[in-house]
Amino acid sequence: MPFWTAHDATHHDPKRVSRFKVEIASLNNEGTVWYAKSFSKPSAEIKATTHRYLNHSFNYPGSVTWSDVTIELIDPTDPIDAAGSLAQILTAMGYEVPPDGDDDLSFINISKRKSVEALGDISVSQIDDEGNDIESWSLKQAFVTKIEWGSYKYDGDDLDVLKLTVKYDWAECTISRPTLSVAVSPTTATSTTTTSPFFSKIGSKIVLA
């Protein structure tokens, strides 16, 4: 039954883009980043390779590439200064400004290990009207690739918005609603569990399990 024709009290509303919460381990003491303004969902791109034979071209799916995620943050200043927190992440990744004068040159460098640890676990969850998670994305091996501290302008009274670009190796999605069905083939599989990993495989088809 379509959600716009349902009148029973047990029917769930469709997902809404404004109902979400962000969690980044390095910000807000591993709690919810309540000053997050937006979070672009992960997206996957399947590369294709082409084989030419005489006058014909045949395409085959290749590797999967996950696109960068962009996060916008409002800078609350109290009790957290988001601009300073992002600067600390950059430092924890291994970046140091050049020394002044005769100060010894540092040989510390940025590495993936330090970069992943500097950001920590990162996830975004879509919630329902009761505040329960219904769709959660977790970014794996994630690290920061771009920090934008915003801009100043005399003709605006907007809140200061910071932007964070994050690269990751892969993402995992968890759907948390009982009796869901997802059709990925002519056969529809039904879940009876309350929390189901999206990318799980049974037989020859990917289903909610």
Side-chain angles (χ1 to χ4, degrees), residues 134 136-137 171-177 180 182 191 193-202 205-209:
I134 54 178
S136 300
W137 288 92
E172 293 181 358
C173 181
T174 300
I175 304 298
S176 303
R177 181 162 286 173
L180 274 178
V182 173
S191 169
T193 58
T194 56
T195 302
S196 304
F198 191 76
F199 299 110
S200 62
K201 187 173 183 181
I202 296 180
K205 57 182 180 294
I206 299 176
V207 299
L208 283 171

Side-chain angles (χ1 to χ4, degrees), residues 32-101:
T32 301
V33 184
W34 48 269
Y35 47 93
K37 180 182 179 182
S38 68
F39 193 114
S40 61
K41 285 187 180 183
S43 59
E45 179 181 357
I46 297 88
K47 303 293 184 180
T49 182
T50 303
H51 174 68
R52 294 286 303 274
Y53 177 72
L54 298 179
N55 294 327
H56 307 285
S57 296
F58 303 94
N59 297 304
Y60 295 89
S63 60
V64 176
T65 301
W66 292 88
S67 300
D68 296 351
V69 159
T70 301
I71 308 167
E72 290 186 332
L73 306 171
I74 299 296
D75 198 342
T77 71
D78 185 20
I80 296 169
D81 190 290
S85 298
L86 297 186
Q88 289 180 348
I89 290 177
L90 187 60
T91 301
M93 291 172 64
Y95 175 77
E96 292 187 356
V97 297
D100 293 330

Side-chain angles (χ1 to χ4, degrees), residues 144-161:
V144 174
T145 58
K146 187 176 183 180
I147 300 174
E148 298 178 65
W149 278 278
S151 60
Y152 303 116
K153 53 183 179 181
Y154 282 117
D155 61 346
D157 284 323
D158 302 332
L159 298 179
D160 201 358
V161 178

Side-chain angles (χ1 to χ4, degrees), residues 7 69 129 132 141 201:
H7 302 288
V69 159
D129 57 313
N132 301 312
Q141 304 292 335
K201 187 173 183 181

